[in-house]
Structures are given as C-alpha cells and as structure tokens.
Amino acid sequence: MTATATPTGDLCSMPALLRRNARAFADRPAYREKEYGIWQSWTWSEALREIEWLAFGFLALGMARGDHVAIIGRNRPDHYWAMVAAQMCGAIPVPLYQDAVAEEMAYVLGHCGARFVVCGDQEQVDKVIDIQDQLHQIDHVLYHDKRGMRKYDHEHLNWLHDIREEGRASHYRHEHELALREAELDYDSTCVMLYTSGTTGKPKGVVLSNRNIIETAKNSSEFDRLGPREEILAYLPMAWVGDFIFSMGQALWNGFCVNCPESADTMMSDLKEIAPTYYFAPPRVFESQLTSVMIRMEDAGTVKRWLFRHFMDLARRVGPAILDGRKVGLVDRLRYAMGEIAIYGPLKNTLGFSRVRVGYTAGEAIGPEIFDFYRSLGINLKQLYGQTEASVFIAQQPDHEVRADTVGVTSPGVEIRIGDSGEIFYRSPGTFVEYYKNPESTASTKDEAGWVATGDAGFFEEDTGHLRIIDRAKDVGKMADGHMFAPKYVENKLKFYPDILEAVVFGNGRETCTAFINIDLTAVGNWAERNNIAYASYQELAGHPRVLETIKAHVEEVNRSVAQDDMLSACQIHRFLVLHKELDADDGEMTRTRKVRRGIIAEKYADLIEALYDGSDSVQTETEVTYEDGRKGRIRATLKLVDAATVTPRHHEVAAA
Amino acid sequence: MTAYEPYTTTDGRTIGGVLMEMKNITLRFGGVEAIRDISFDIREGEIRAIIGPNGAGKSSMLNIISGFYHPQEGEVWYKGAPRPAMKPYEVARMGVGRTFQNIALFEGMSVLDNVMTGRLTHMHASFWQQALWWGKAEREEIYNREQVEKIIDFLEIQAIRRTPVGRLPYGLKKRVELARALAAEPSLLLLDEPMAGMNVEEKEDMSRFILDVNDEFGTTIALIEHDMGVVMDLSDRVVVMDYGRKIGDGTPDEVRNDQDVIDAYLGVAHG
C-alpha cells in the first residue's frame, strides 16, 4: 500500500494516543485498580511514565520489532501497560484467555511464536513452564504477582516490577532506540493479534492493524458521544476483542479511565463502587444480576415485596417509553418519579448502574424480559452485533431505537450486504488484516474487495432498517420434511428462563426436534431450598422429578411460542433430557466465550441423542469430565427422557406447501 | 537440648534451630493422665504435625503449647528459655497464634473486623486516644488495616471483606480464622484440625494456603490433623501420639514405616 492518509493526523498508534493523553489530560485518572481494599490510581502522565519504563526494560531484555508478546492474566493496569509498552518497541501484543488449559495455550503460543510471555501470577507461570519443553522459542517469562515465585529458577524468569526498574535505570541508554521504534509505527502496523475461540477447529490469530482499532474506536465513540469523562470497568477477558476495543482502543482514543476490579469475585461490589458511565456485559452477566435481585426480593419483607412489584409493573409499562423519549402521561411520569425514589434509584445503585449512560450487551441473544427489565429501570442498555474480525462493530442500536429482537442499524463506516443464502457480509475500516499464518482461511473469509462473511444468517427489517440475526448460517439446516431448522432460535427462547442455563437443540435432517438442557444451579438451587427439596449434588438436582416437571413446563411454553412463527414452527421440541453435568469449556463442549460447540456435543453424547429418538424412557451414560486443575474423571448417570407436548401450527399446510 | 544445623529443604525453605521444645510433659485431669512424659521439639520454619487416634491427647498438647493448660510435670522451652506458666493472652503476645477446632469467630462481625481483632496485640494507643481517634490511635489503625489487607489479599478473601462471618460457609470461616491468627504475625502458628469437615477442593485450597504461609512469611506451623494424606504431604516432621504417649517421631516416611505407628493408628501400611 502507498502512503496512507490518516484522518486522525499523527495519532496513528496506541503509543501516540497515550502520549497525546499524557499531554492533554496529564492529571486526570487513566487507570485505577483496587488493591488492598483501596482504589489505587494513575494519571495519564503517570501511566505514560510507567509504560515507558516498562518499554525500556523490554528493550533491555532484547525485544525486537515484530516479536510476539503474549499476555496471560486478569484485567490489571500492568497488563494493559505491557501491551502498550510492547507496541512502543514495535512488538505485537497477544492477549490470551487466562482460564485456558496448558495445551490450548501451547497451541497459541506455538502458533504465534511468542518470545516473551507476561503472566499475571504463579498459576499462569506454571502453565507456561509446563509447555516450555515443547516450545523452545520462549526467551523470557515475566510475571506481575510475586507470590509463590521465590523458589523458581529465575534465569529466564523476571518480576515485571524489576524489569520496569531496570528500564527506569537504563532510561538514557534506550531513549533514542525507543523514539526510533515508535516513529516507525504507522496506521498499517499491527496493533494487536487476538485469537478467536472458534466454535470449530483450532483458534485463528486475527491480525488487527492500528487503522482497524483506531478507526473503530473513533467511529463508535462518535456514535455514542463518548468523551474523556467516561468511567469503565475492565473485567471481561483481555483476550476478547471487546475488551481490547473498550479498554485500549476507546479508552486511549477518548482518554477515559479504565478501572480494574480487585479480583474476579469482587466484580459486583467493585462495579457498585465505580458506577461506570459506559458499561459492557454479555447477557449472562445481566441474567445473573437479575436472578440475584429476584432471589433477594423473594426473601424480602412483605412491604418491600409489594413496593417492588408495584413499581416494577409500572416501570415495565412506561419505563422504556420514558427512556426513548416517547409520550407518557403526566400522572404516569409522576408515579415513575416516585418509583425512582423508592425502587429504581436504590436498585440501580446496588447494581452499580446509577451512572450508566451507554450500556451494551452482545455475544449472545439476550432474553426480552431481561432486556426490558434493565431498560424499564431507565438504564440505556442496547445491543450490538460484531465479531473479532470486524474489530467488534458491525451493527448497533442507536439511542431511542432499541428493541430486544434486533441488533440495530449498520455501524458508522460499515457496509453490510445480505448474501443469496441469507448470510451477512460486511466491509469496514475495522475489517481485519489477515489470519496469522493462515492464508487459506483468510481467503475463504475475506474476498478481494474486502467483504467478510460472518457465517451468520439474518435480514434487514424493511420498515425500520434494523438487522435481525436468525442463527449461525452453518447451523441453519433443514428437517426431514424440508422445514427450516434454526436451533439457536429455540435455544435462546429456552435460555430466557432463569432455570435454564444452556440448551442444545438437535433435529437437522430428522423428523422432530429434541433438546439437551442444563439447569442453572443458582436459580434451581434456590427454588429447591424454598420448596424443601434436598439434594446432594448437581446431578441429583438435575434429575429430580419436580425439576424435570418445571423444565417440561418451560419447554412446552417455548413450543407454543415457536408455533407462532410460520417459518420455524417445525422446530418445536418433542423430547428432551436434563444433562447430568454442566457443559464446560474445559471439556471442550463450549468455547471460552461460552458458545456451545454443537459438533463436539453431538459426538460426545451420541448415545443420549440416539435415546432421544428411539423412544426409550431412560438412558444410562458415562461421561468424562475435566477438573479445573486438568485432571480427568468420569461420572455415570441414568437420565430420564421426557416427552413434551407440541402445538400443531395454524398455518401448517401453508408452510409445508 | 539437641543441637541442629539449619538446612534447606528440597523445595527451598530454610529450617532453622529449635523454636519450641516440650520436655517430659505430663498432664493430668484428676486421675486421668491425658499426656504422659512426652518430649519433642519444633524447629524454626518447619511444618510440624501432631497426629494420633481420637483421645490420644493431641488437642491437650496444643492447649499446652498455647498456654491454656499447664502441665503438672515437664517444661515448655520457647526461643531458648523455659517458659513460666502464663495466661493464654501472654503466650499470644510472645508470638504464638492459633486457630480452633470448632471455629471461634465473632459471628455478627464482618470478616474485616474479625481479622482486625487479630491485630489487638499490636495496638498500643491508650483508651482515650482510641476513643477520640487521635494521634497514635489513628496512625496505628491505618497501619494495622494495611497489614490486615495484605493478609486478606494473601488468603484471597477480598470478596467477603464486608460480609458478616455468620453468613459464610464453613470452609471460608476456617480461612477467616486463619487470617485472624496470621494478623497477629505469630512466629509459631498452631492449627487445630484445619481441614476438619472440608470437601476435597476446600482441603486443597487450605493446604495451599498453609504451605504459602509457611513459605512466604516463614511462619513455623504446628498442626493437628486427621486426614493422613494431608498430614503426610504437608509436614516436614510428624509426632505420633497414642493414649497420651509418644509412639513415633520423624519425617512422614519414617513414621509411615514405623511398626508401632502402623499398629496403633494406621492399621495397615499405605501403599
């Protein structure tokens, strides 16, 4: 490519943005982290100093241009700094999922040929040391948390803090070299490489350039009018493109503050303390927050319960309308204001949503009830549609045009085209450069004109111009009688029940549909407690006759709702079973971002699927499970197969014709 | 007293000289002889286990070390000098901390406040200074809170910092108790059945923490435990008691192969 025009002027890399922020917002908070019970904070000028020292330290260790620097750990300022410091040195940061088991990590580290690995703590260092024998390319392992590290052989192992101190001491020696390396960065240099978890096959390294990240950050910030005063909580995996866009791209572009929680367990109380103005969470987080609110309300006193019910009914009726600026009568507005004082305000405060101006959910479909619950409280929760290859944004909902069943309008700067098969294609400044060392996949995903196949099937609504997603294009199939089979559509309806954590629907090429169901231990456990149902294990609770009865009621309700849709009425569930174990990423049944891997599940539980179709009442099975420490075990169970009533659709003949 | 050379264990910890020595201890309750003529020592930096069947006198021994019981015969030597009969709080001030078999926390107080009580021996401000939150009291409180926060971080109980102890599950209460004992910065930490009633995962966590405490803070640990697997994996040396007498003393391997011990306690040889 010839000389690149950069609409953003000199601001064509993350380090350049950092230096701009250190000048423009010198004394404003850039990073906060709760440690030892206190929010420690760093201003932009302090952050720049820390990152520079770290970069000098990296140079002292011999970091070269184009080196890959893996970062494995939870969200901490140090880890974000290591990424920017690596970029300063002309190296490429590669954040990894910290809960990945050693063999998954080995593949990614080997594939990108990482010479440097920055680890959060001993647990991650252990994993890296475990796989180092297979990978001879790792030259230096650095760690943030000193605990337990004293006894290790430190020949190629360093405390990140020591490296920073060495960098500080060698300031003058490396200043020139660092300036040189930073000056070489342009809009087309690689900003970051992120591995997609992928529902099929090995992870692929998505190469994103500075152009991808900065243009996307710029466009999306303008879309939601984000500014330097935003506060965000960085708690989603650093390896996920969303966190990179929010906590790196948008944070550096706007100069807003990134807050890191004290630990994964304290996320909820940290959220409350920070009260972010811009918030992002997968539906799962919103679901679990709502579940915990409901559980606590059930235990509350009569007066509180009445107040809650009364004002939540009102909120459901008028809340979304008020939020969207539509017409609402004066009386209802007054009552809503009272509700704000009595219920909504305190509730939002408890949840940490008092100040949320823009909230997003993505990754999976969110239940309409859950979505409406938050919106009725006056929280501007919206949906977006995106993927790693697009630097997140493909479509998103503008303020005041929010609905549970669409993903909004085309994001600024993005073009969307619907293919003949219904598959969605897009082209945007955020479109990835390539899959690292995988030209075949790059070619099959992105054509020469830059159009990328999303693998999702969807359509634009004619009257509103909003995009609706049906399912993964490859998952959409045909049933034996030719009807459309869209498992995700049914699964999402099932998952909207708090009792159901996961569902997997089968039926491609078959006469009828069947399903595997995972119960939600929190919700069902609480229900069991209130109904005096004793259980000793997940397995026992999952198999309890009354639990099966409840799930059956949910399935039948879903069947009635599915029957309403002419296109998909054949996807009603005729038989189902409740699984004896939770589907788990460690067993390969889900991706790290918790999407079900259909193929693997169908293969692993082939005996169960067979039983669902052969009409038997129960089935015996044995399953291998992987514990968190990597050991394997087996669990045996006898599962009951349950028939569910289905509804004959009204337009059956028409649809079949 | 036996003289020992300091040595370094295979996992890189330094075991020093004798920290505490029990010399010919006999303890009677009326006519019942709970402990008869027992001698053993605890070396600086080691993890020392006391094992034995129910009623062997393990807890009594721990209570002697912590100053709760006073033996009729024998002497307790601590840091190279005989220790006179003392009240438990005086023993605590000398650097002996402990946890209890039946959790003894303040149920209505938050985890943070419970752990702060462990700092009691490190507070010297006067009543009036504390009442008025003035001068030394403020400085001490801040310093003590910093120390407590480090322990909270170390034991990974940040998420329950503000939770009343009464609402916590058993395994976490045990961890809070350990935190409180650690807050006193003991040189000798006594753990009375730290794993009792725990599931496998909780036991693994607790073992990890005990090893980490020993390793990171260099705290000498004496523990009583029923779970043989845990004892053998954790400890550097083991004292075996039966009917108030010592029937074995040595490394886990030595004890495991000792015929008296096998007969009295383990029943059959493991593996």
Side-chain angles (χ1 to χ4, degrees):
Chain A
M1 208 178 272
T2 50
T4 46
T6 55
T8 50
D10 295 333
L11 301 175
C12 60
S13 69
M14 300 278 115
L17 288 172
L18 172 70
R19 289 190 188 277
R20 191 261 331 243
N21 293 346
R23 279 192 307 273
F25 315 118
D27 297 324
R28 291 252 288 277
Y31 293 91
R32 284 196 204 100
E33 181 183 25
K34 195 169 183 186
E35 199 170 25
Y36 302 130
I38 292 175
W39 287 97
Q40 324 274 349
S41 62
W42 292 266
T43 65
W44 281 109
S45 56
E46 285 166 343
L48 172 63
R49 207 182 52 204
E50 298 275 333
I51 295 168
E52 268 190 333
W53 288 342
L54 205 50
F56 294 140
F58 285 169
L59 288 180
L61 282 180
M63 192 177 284
R65 293 174 179 84
D67 276 350
H68 285 96
V69 182
I71 287 127
I72 317 166
R74 68 179 167 88
N75 314 70
R76 309 193 84 146
D78 238 8
H79 298 153
Y80 291 111
W81 297 346
M83 291 209 274
V84 185
Q87 289 167 337
M88 280 180 170
C89 300
I92 299 155
V94 186
L96 304 187
Y97 285 97
Q98 56 165 340
D99 55 354
V101 292
E103 56 197 75
E104 274 175 51
M105 217 171 255
Y107 174 79
V108 172
L109 289 178
H111 185 257
C112 70
R115 273 189 68 211
F116 292 80
V117 182
V118 177
C119 294
D121 54 20
Q122 185 188 12
E123 185 187 342
Q124 308 300 341
V125 173
D126 283 346
K127 279 194 258 183
V128 174
I129 289 178
D130 263 0
I131 56 185
Q132 206 162 13
D133 297 338
Q134 315 160 31
L135 305 170
H136 298 288
Q137 90 256 355
I138 301 174
D139 288 338
H140 292 282
V141 178
L142 312 171
Y143 56 88
H144 167 92
D145 193 345
K146 234 181 155 168
R147 176 168 175 188
M149 295 302 305
R150 203 160 41 78
K151 295 176 299 206
Y152 286 65
D153 172 10
H154 271 69
E155 200 178 335
H156 300 286
L157 193 60
N158 279 288
W159 187 26
L160 206 52
H161 182 80
D162 285 342
I163 295 302
R164 185 156 39 226
E165 288 307 306
E166 279 175 40
R168 182 184 189 170
S170 65
H171 189 140
Y172 292 108
R173 190 148 38 93
H174 294 297
E175 210 173 22
H176 181 68
E177 174 69 14
L178 193 73
L180 211 66
R181 299 243 188 132
E182 273 189 69
E184 289 167 11
L185 297 175
D186 63 20
Y187 232 34
D188 290 311
S189 3
T190 301
C191 181
V192 67
M193 195 157 95
L194 300 162
Y195 277 82
T196 54
S197 44
T199 40
T200 48
K202 290 276 186 198
K204 288 180 278 197
V206 180
V207 176
L208 296 172
S209 65
N210 283 320
R211 176 195 308 277
N212 295 153
I213 298 297
I214 296 176
E215 285 287 314
T216 305
K218 172 172 163 284
N219 287 337
S220 54
S221 298
E222 281 165 7
F223 185 87
D224 283 313
R225 296 182 304 284
L226 301 178
R229 298 282 178 187
E230 312 298 340
E231 298 276 350
I232 64 166
L233 188 72
Y235 69 100
L236 291 160
M238 288 184 66
W240 177 59
V241 65
D243 187 63
F244 194 83
I245 286 288
F246 302 126
S247 309
M248 289 279 289
Q250 291 182 336
L252 284 163
W253 173 256
N254 293 296
F256 61 63
C257 184
V258 175
N259 299 281
C260 300
E262 187 169 21
S263 74
D265 301 333
T266 59
M267 186 274 186
M268 285 301 160
S269 58
D270 295 335
L271 181 67
K272 185 180 170 185
E273 287 171 9
I274 288 300
T277 59
Y278 177 42
Y279 179 65
F280 194 96
R284 185 172 287 273
V285 172
F286 289 110
E287 277 167 35
S288 70
Q289 273 189 313
L290 176 58
T291 309
S292 86
V293 168
M294 289 306 178
I295 289 171
R296 279 160 69 179
M297 278 322 296
E298 274 162 12
D299 295 337
T302 329
V303 178
K304 280 187 191 160
R305 273 215 308 273
W306 181 84
L307 269 178
F308 181 75
R309 247 199 322 266
H310 175 80
F311 281 114
M312 284 320 295
D313 285 345
L314 175 75
R316 254 188 292 278
R317 202 154 51 76
V318 301
I322 291 176
L323 188 60
D324 286 343
R326 278 179 274 140
K327 263 191 180 165
V328 173
L330 185 65
V331 178
D332 278 342
R333 274 186 189 276
L334 280 174
R335 288 173 64 200
Y336 190 84
M338 278 170 63
E340 179 73 30
I341 297 168
I343 296 289
Y344 319 141
L347 185 55
K348 279 188 283 190
N349 186 32
T350 306
L351 295 171
F353 294 153
S354 302
R355 297 199 295 167
V356 170
R357 209 164 52 73
V358 182
Y360 273 111
T361 172
E364 294 271 332
I366 187 167
E369 295 81 17
I370 297 161
F371 195 63
D372 288 343
F373 171 83
Y374 288 98
R375 290 199 52 86
S376 67
L377 290 176
I379 298 163
N380 186 20
L381 180 60
K382 310 195 283 183
Q383 296 199 78
L384 69 77
Y385 170 65
Q387 54 176 213
T388 309
E389 287 82 347
S391 309
V392 180
F393 298 94
I394 299 174
Q396 63 198 116
Q397 294 176 325
D399 291 350
H400 311 313
E401 288 179 42
V402 177
R403 280 167 42 197
D405 56 350
T406 78
V407 293
V409 301
T410 310
S411 294
V414 180
E415 301 164 75
I416 297 184
R417 177 165 67 83
I418 307 288
D420 297 335
S421 61
E423 187 172 355
I424 302 165
F425 293 84
Y426 67 88
R427 184 161 71 170
S428 76
T431 302
F432 72 118
V433 180
E434 59 173 355
Y435 291 122
Y436 186 63
K437 293 202 288 203
N438 193 347
E440 303 84 48
S441 285
T442 309
S444 66
T445 310
K446 186 167 88 162
D447 69 14
E448 275 161 28
W451 288 98
V452 179
T454 59
D456 289 321
F459 62 93
F460 276 106
E461 282 188 348
E462 273 170 21
D463 44 341
T464 58
H466 279 231
L467 183 65
R468 269 183 78 170
I469 312 289
I470 307 173
D471 203 337
R472 295 289 298 166
K474 67 176 172 47
D475 289 337
V476 176
K478 283 214 172 359
M479 307 204 36
D481 57 3
H483 278 97
M484 188 199 241
F485 170 69
K488 190 70 151 289
Y489 175 81
V490 185
E491 286 160 14
N492 283 336
K493 280 186 185 289
L494 284 167
K495 280 163 61 179
F496 296 154
Y497 293 95
D499 295 337
I500 298 177
L501 184 70
E502 279 308 331
V504 191
V505 173
F506 305 96
N508 199 17
R510 304 218 188 219
E511 298 287 329
T512 56
C513 284
T514 57
F516 287 176
I517 306 242
N518 253 178
I519 56 163
D520 185 320
L521 189 59
T522 323
V524 180
N526 192 265
W527 167 85
E529 198 178 303
R530 272 181 293 113
N531 288 284
N532 291 323
I533 291 170
Y535 62 97
S537 63
Y538 178 88
Q539 195 178 336
E540 190 179 334
L541 185 64
H544 196 279
R546 286 191 55 193
V547 172
L548 293 180
E549 221 170 88
T550 314
I551 302 294
K552 181 177 170 180
H554 294 332
V555 170
E556 288 175 351
E557 211 170 316
V558 165
N559 281 346
R560 281 193 287 279
S561 147
V562 171
Q564 310 262 309
D565 195 311
D566 294 342
M567 240 177 7
L568 298 165
S569 60
C571 298
Q572 294 182 59
I573 294 160
H574 289 248
R575 271 160 79 76
F576 72 92
L577 59 80
V578 174
L579 280 177
H580 51 297
K581 73 173 276 287
E582 255 184 66
L583 297 175
D584 196 357
D586 287 345
D587 291 326
E589 294 155 342
M590 300 187 107
T591 66
R592 291 278 159 211
T593 47
R594 299 200 61 90
K595 293 185 179 126
V596 294
R597 289 177 151 150
R598 273 166 219 295
I600 291 172
I601 294 171
E603 208 173 292
K604 183 167 178 182
Y605 297 105
D607 55 334
L608 299 184
I609 298 177
E610 216 30 65
L612 278 170
Y613 284 102
D614 69 10
S616 43
D617 291 337
S618 68
V619 56
Q620 276 199 333
T621 187
E622 190 177 308
T623 315
E624 186 176 83
V625 290
T626 313
Y627 298 113
E628 258 176 38
D629 57 5
R631 283 181 304 166
K632 296 196 189 295
R634 305 190 70 84
I635 51 174
R636 258 180 289 272
T638 306
L639 303 181
K640 269 192 76 66
L641 307 171
V642 187
D643 290 305
T646 53
V647 182
T648 316
R650 286 163 297 147
H651 307 294
H652 190 75
E653 282 75 20
V654 184
Chain B
M1 191 200 275
T2 344
Y4 286 117
E5 283 296 313
Y7 73 103
T8 308
T9 59
T10 47
D11 56 354
R13 295 172 304 127
T14 309
I15 306 292
V18 172
L19 178 68
M20 179 172 270
E21 188 170 14
M22 318 299 288
K23 293 187 174 180
N24 309 96
I25 301 282
T26 298
L27 176 73
R28 290 185 209 96
F29 297 107
V32 182
E33 211 164 47
I35 294 173
R36 183 198 296 169
D37 192 27
I38 287 192
S39 304
F40 67 92
D41 56 31
I42 302 169
R43 298 180 61 177
E44 241 169 88
E46 78 175 341
I47 300 180
R48 187 76 148 121
I50 305 171
I51 64 171
N54 281 331
K58 307 182 299 287
S59 286
S60 301
M61 186 53 88
L62 215 61
N63 280 326
I64 289 172
I65 299 176
S66 70
F68 190 66
Y69 293 153
H70 302 287
Q72 278 77 14
E73 286 164 37
E75 283 183 319
V76 179
W77 281 57
Y78 182 57
K79 293 186 178 170
R83 191 177 75 185
M86 282 180 165
K87 293 265 176 3
Y89 71 86
E90 291 171 317
V91 175
R93 268 193 202 147
M94 288 180 73
V96 178
R98 74 168 295 177
T99 66
F100 297 84
Q101 192 175 343
N102 323 312
I103 296 164
L105 291 164
F106 304 102
E107 296 265 315
M109 277 164 40
S110 71
V111 167
L112 181 64
D113 289 340
N114 265 286
V115 182
M116 280 296 270
T117 60
R119 296 295 299 174
L120 202 64
T121 52
H122 296 265
M123 292 186 194
H124 307 287
S126 71
F127 175 80
W128 289 111
Q129 283 172 323
Q130 298 211 21
L132 298 170
W133 179 249
W134 175 73
K136 202 172 178 180
E138 186 181 349
R139 285 197 306 276
E140 271 187 357
E141 176 93 5
I142 290 170
Y143 174 74
N144 285 327
R145 174 71 189 272
E146 279 170 8
Q147 300 308 308
V148 164
E149 283 295 342
K150 281 181 190 159
I151 290 160
I152 288 177
D153 182 72
F154 188 82
L155 294 178
E156 294 165 13
I157 47 177
Q158 300 99 327
I160 52 165
R161 192 186 277 125
R162 302 274 177 200
T163 315
V165 164
R167 292 227 310 258
L168 297 177
Y170 183 77
L172 273 179
K173 282 186 187 170
K174 281 277 197 194
R175 210 188 294 178
V176 174
E177 223 193 9
L178 177 61
R180 184 181 59 184
L182 281 179
E185 296 176 43
S187 23
L188 174 62
L189 178 62
L190 310 175
L191 304 175
D192 197 349
E193 302 211 9
M195 327 270 175
M198 287 189 172
N199 63 30
V200 177
E201 203 183 324
E202 287 171 331
K203 278 182 188 172
E204 278 178 1
D205 281 350
M206 187 51 104
S207 304
R208 189 73 251 152
F209 286 124
I210 291 173
L211 287 171
D212 280 354
V213 165
N214 175 253
D215 190 26
E216 293 279 309
F217 302 142
T219 312
T220 309
I221 294 172
L223 62 92
I224 294 178
E225 184 49 55
H226 266 302
D227 188 313
M228 272 302 117
V230 169
V231 171
M232 295 301 176
D233 285 352
L234 279 182
S235 0
D236 297 302
R237 286 191 302 156
V238 182
V239 175
V240 191
M241 292 176 68
D242 193 19
Y243 292 114
R245 284 167 309 138
K246 182 170 99 170
I247 58 168
D249 190 354
T251 64
D253 279 336
E254 287 166 9
V255 167
R256 216 190 315 245
N257 296 319
D258 186 306
Q259 197 52 46
D260 285 346
V261 177
I262 294 170
D263 292 347
Y265 188 55
L266 299 173
V268 278
H270 285 235

